[in-house]
Amino acid sequence: MKRIGTALRAAVSLGLCAALLAGCSLLPSDPAPEQPVPTDPLTGQEQLWPGQRPVAVSIENASDSTTQWGLSTASVVLEARTELQGSTRLCLVYPSVNAVPQVGPVAAGEDLYWRLLVGQQVIPVQRGGGQFDQNYLDYYSLRPVDALEAGRNAFSCPAGWSNAPLWYTSGSALSSALETLNISSTLTESRVTTAASAAADSASGEDTPLTIPALLPQSMENKVPDATAPDAVNVRLQFDEQNATGFAYDAESATYNMLHADGTPQLDANSGQQAAFDNLLVLFSASALRDDEQTFDYDLSMGGGVWLNGGHLWYITWTQGTDTTFQFYDADGELLTLNAGRSYLALVSSVTGQELTVTNSAGENLIQ
């Protein structure tokens, strides 16, 4: 009897196991993991130009500049003092050749800007450049669209062609010159930036889309690290005695509106619209005068800085990233993700005359 009971219990156990296994096979399978939605590597917003190389245009920004095309539609604007004498130049970055409006006045190239954008595979657009600019382009075999080479094939000016014209270009003009210059407007290598995207591509069996690392760590979730951060409504970056850039916060649009050194609005000559940004980033960096005793070199490895968004200010630390060009940390040392949107990024050093002023709604300076 004991043997029969043991055999019966074994049979029942086997039957239960079979039933359980059969039941499991009838259950719906786990849903496939959601693939991340591709986002624009310059803004963190919806990607409209997949597989396209961004375009970076160096433009004039003298204190008396009143004609600047394309300023209000650039995804990112970079600014730094790169020369001992003269005004700063701006670098306007667009996500694709097709996204470039009429833009200018095109200025000499800056190797600092190409270094900041090296991970984005940008197409540089310039009007000549110094020796350091040329050395950088040659070293990385980076072919620019240069007005001194392309001339009227890609550039125009509103008056006669002179030694110092207001040279401008556009996406359509650049497109027509790229083939002649043997420059591709599409990304040339695959850069999978996350393990999750690599796994998704492998599982799908499809060709991996060409991607580039994001310039900034951005998210559309619109989270801020500290809701009690001080309000910051006015910003002024003094690059030297003659050159300054200001911003005034507009609560209605939740953006920082760009100002000339004299406080007047910095307008886009295409539309008359004032340039405005969702994010302001002022990064402190050590700099030194180069051997030519005319241009500055910047340390792009790490430093402190501030981030302004939504009328508030946060102190940050920045360094080189991995999945993104930059990586940011808040005051507590936690990784920081910026809100998606258009960004202005300036490098400020301890060079005499460069300083940052940020005031709150009461007119108090927040930078000590």
Side-chain angles (χ1 to χ4, degrees):
M1 292 295 294
K2 287 184 180 180
R3 290 179 180 176
I4 295 176
T6 301
L8 181 61
R9 285 194 296 271
V12 171
S13 298
L14 289 172
L16 287 174
C17 289
L20 287 172
L21 289 173
C24 289
S25 66
L26 298 176
L27 293 175
S29 59
D30 293 335
E34 293 186 6
Q35 297 187 18
V37 177
T39 56
D40 190 302
L42 298 176
T43 64
Q45 297 172 326
E46 179 184 0
Q47 188 175 40
L48 301 178
W49 310 98
Q52 297 294 302
R53 292 178 64 188
V55 177
V57 187
S58 178
I59 74 165
E60 301 286 358
N61 192 43
S63 57
D64 58 352
S65 295
T66 57
T67 304
Q68 293 174 305
W69 296 281
L71 191 58
S72 67
T73 53
S75 298
V76 177
V77 172
L78 306 176
E79 185 172 15
R81 182 184 177 187
T82 58
E83 297 181 355
L84 191 59
Q85 303 294 331
S87 60
T88 63
R89 299 184 183 99
L90 300 177
C91 182
L92 312 187
V93 192
Y94 302 91
S96 164
V97 171
N98 295 325
V100 178
Q102 181 168 305
V103 59
V106 180
E110 304 276 8
D111 69 287
L112 173 63
Y113 296 148
W114 314 147
R115 289 166 60 198
L116 288 170
L117 297 166
V118 66
Q120 279 61 54
Q121 292 193 39
V122 298
I123 300 174
V125 179
Q126 61 182 40
R127 191 191 75 228
Q131 188 59 53
F132 291 99
D133 171 71
Q134 191 59 52
N135 289 346
Y136 185 87
L137 296 174
D138 290 344
Y139 184 82
Y140 285 98
S141 300
L142 193 59
R143 185 78 184 274
V145 181
D146 196 318
L148 299 185
E149 177 185 8
R152 290 187 181 275
N153 291 325
F155 298 85
S156 304
C157 60
W161 198 259
S162 65
N163 290 329
L166 295 177
W167 295 0
Y168 61 84
T169 186
S170 65
S172 58
L174 292 171
S175 294
S176 64
L178 291 181
E179 184 174 353
T180 302
L181 297 171
N182 196 28
I183 298 174
S184 173
S185 63
T186 59
L187 300 177
T188 56
E189 64 178 284
S190 176
R191 298 188 180 186
V192 179
T193 58
T194 64
S197 62
D201 292 329
S202 177
S204 66
E206 299 177 355
D207 292 337
T208 303
L210 298 178
T211 61
I212 52 176
L215 178 65
L216 306 169
Q218 291 179 291
S219 170
M220 289 187 286
E221 294 181 2
N222 291 325
K223 294 181 179 180
V224 295
D226 180 8
T228 63
D231 72 303
V233 296
N234 291 292
V235 180
R236 185 177 177 86
L237 285 156
Q238 192 76 42
F239 292 99
D240 58 35
E241 292 183 359
Q242 303 297 323
N243 297 282
T245 298
F247 297 90
Y249 183 67
D250 177 59
E252 184 175 351
S253 63
T255 59
Y256 285 90
N257 295 339
M258 197 172 189
L259 306 170
H260 287 290
D262 61 2
T264 57
Q266 197 149 349
L267 305 178
D268 187 331
N270 287 331
S271 61
Q273 181 179 350
Q274 186 174 8
F277 302 89
D278 302 289
N279 297 299
L280 298 185
L281 286 160
V282 182
L283 308 183
F284 306 135
S285 171
S287 68
L289 200 60
R290 285 168 159 164
D291 293 341
D292 62 356
E293 298 185 353
Q294 293 296 323
T295 58
F296 293 106
D297 190 21
Y298 284 79
D299 179 2
L300 301 183
S301 60
M302 64 179 299
V306 297
W307 168 44
L308 293 99
N309 176 275
H312 297 280
L313 172 144
W314 294 272
Y315 287 95
I316 62 173
T317 302
W318 63 274
T319 185
Q320 296 174 337
T322 51
D323 290 347
T324 56
T325 298
F326 285 98
Q327 193 161 284
F328 300 115
Y329 299 88
D330 63 21
D332 296 324
E334 298 293 330
L335 279 172
L336 183 64
T337 300
L338 309 184
N339 292 334
R342 300 177 63 243
S343 300
Y344 167 92
L345 187 153
L347 286 178
V348 175
S349 78
S350 57
V351 175
T352 302
Q354 293 195 43
E355 62 179 87
L356 168 67
T357 303
V358 181
T359 56
N360 58 21
S361 53
E364 301 168 331
N365 187 12
L366 303 176
I367 306 297
Q368 304 298 328

